[in-house]
Amino acid sequence: MTVVSTDTESAGRPASAGVSGGAPTPTAVQLASRHAAESLAEAVAALRGALDAGEGILLLAHVNPDGDSLGSAIALGLALRRLGASPQVSFDADPFVVPRTLRFLPGQDLLVAPGELGDSPRLVVTLDAGSEERLGCLARRLAVPRRVVVVDHHASNTLFGDINVVDIEAASTSVMVVRIIDALGVELDQDIAAAVYTGLVTDTGSFRFAATTPAVHELAARLLATGIRHDLIGRTLWDTHRFGYLKLLGQALERARLEPEFDLIWTWCTEADLRVAGIGYDEIEAVIDTVRTVSEAEVAVVCKQDGDVWKISVRSKGAVDVGAVCTALGGGGHRFAAGISSSAPLETVMGVFREELTRAPRLAG
């Protein structure tokens, strides 16, 4: 099993000198980069092997996928189809529908509901899922003797694949998918580029987050050069809401709680709120983007009721690693964005979260 990880605490440190003037000891970042290249080569070889053998390939996004997970799965699926394959893309959602904000994505004819997949092909690729649990009911598709390739950029990834292409320095999983597509020799067309761009702007906050690097802008320029309508993609993702969303947003902001002692602002949305507003669960993802703008708090939380479960979206301005906080509570994510799920009562969930938050060290911005 190939294991790839990056120790971000070591990033930027100089290499230690070797004994008796020997070669410098590689830094963790250098080692991770080397391993990432090796695992990427293994993943491409596995895909080529399946293509040559005419085997089916199943691409899995995570539960209730966001733009990076679904965009990455569709982009890779479109590329594989260009090479003559008939890949299937799936994710766990009830009902099995694409989130409203992502219905513009091309390649949706690749989508197959979990109950309609039949027997799993020998090669399964997961996109943007940090653990088997993030695949929901589709986790059973990873059973032996299938070969599993994990493509992800979450620091909390559990490395559950046979080949783990995990690079936490990557701005998005879609960035890593482009590396795979390039290695397969497939040219980016408008459909592939639109799917990749959706993942890229989702996880960089439309290039506002710290994950945005010169390489991110270079990739964006390459994607725009295909002729995609980036303005329409951005408008659909962030600037288009049904009227009910505005009513619900006002209610969520009205009940928001600012807790300076925890450097925290938080609010919640219930299923009853959604019914009254006449909107779906997938339409309230943007609430956190408004809550996190409050200047008096470092950490922002939005709790969203989904059946018997509270799904907690967490954001940080950078001084607190919310990925580590959420991982300690059974969730996961990044330093700036993470989440957890819990069937406990809301006040219990928030009480546990506050307790863990107080243990989190303050980081450099």
Side-chain angles (χ1 to χ4, degrees), residues 75 111 116 165-166 199 206 210 220 223 232 257 328:
L111 298 177
E116 299 175 6
V165 189
V166 179
S206 193
L223 298 172
L232 297 184
R257 299 181 184 179

Side-chain angles (χ1 to χ4, degrees), residues 177-190:
V177 166
V178 170
R179 298 173 190 167
I180 294 173
I181 292 173
D182 285 344
L184 288 170
V186 177
E187 184 178 350
L188 299 182
D189 59 17
Q190 284 191 17

Side-chain angles (χ1 to χ4, degrees), residues 41 53 61 118 120 136 209 226 228 230 237 249 263 288 291 318 323 334 337 347:
S120 293
F209 298 162
T226 66
I228 61 171
H230 62 94
L237 290 174
L249 176 62
D263 210 0
I288 189 68
V291 175
H334 309 287
E347 286 297 340

Side-chain angles (χ1 to χ4, degrees), residues 211-360:
T212 304
T213 63
V216 165
H217 285 298
E218 289 168 2
L219 175 56
R222 181 181 170 195
L223 298 172
L224 265 60
T226 66
I228 61 171
R229 288 296 303 275
H230 62 94
D231 54 332
L232 297 184
I233 292 174
R235 184 186 308 165
T236 304
L237 290 174
W238 292 290
D239 297 333
T240 302
H241 301 288
R242 291 196 287 171
F243 181 69
Y245 170 81
L246 297 182
K247 304 289 283 186
L248 184 145
L249 176 62
Q251 186 174 12
L253 297 180
E254 178 65 27
R255 64 169 61 131
R257 299 181 184 179
L258 181 64
E259 300 179 357
E261 65 273 30
F262 297 105
D263 210 0
L264 171 69
I265 182 170
W266 70 284
T267 189
W268 68 95
C269 301
T270 68
E271 285 196 321
D273 295 332
L274 293 175
R275 285 195 297 271
V276 170
I279 61 176
Y281 178 86
D282 62 306
E283 296 179 71
I284 60 174
E285 191 64 32
V287 173
I288 189 68
D289 293 327
T290 300
V291 175
R292 67 188 294 273
T293 63
V294 169
S295 62
E296 294 92 339
E298 166 66 25
V299 175
V301 170
V302 173
C303 306
K304 299 165 289 186
Q305 188 180 35
D306 186 14
D308 296 329
V309 175
W310 284 100
K311 296 182 177 179
I312 318 299
S313 295
V314 187
R315 300 292 184 270
S316 169
K317 293 182 173 70
V320 175
D321 183 348
V322 293
V325 172
C326 290
T327 297
L329 297 175
H334 309 287
R335 171 178 171 179
F336 295 91
I340 56 175
S341 297
S342 176
S343 57
L346 180 59
E347 286 297 340
T348 301
V349 176
M350 287 306 301
V352 173
F353 179 82
R354 291 187 195 95
E355 183 178 349
E356 190 63 37
L357 188 59
T358 60
R359 299 193 183 102

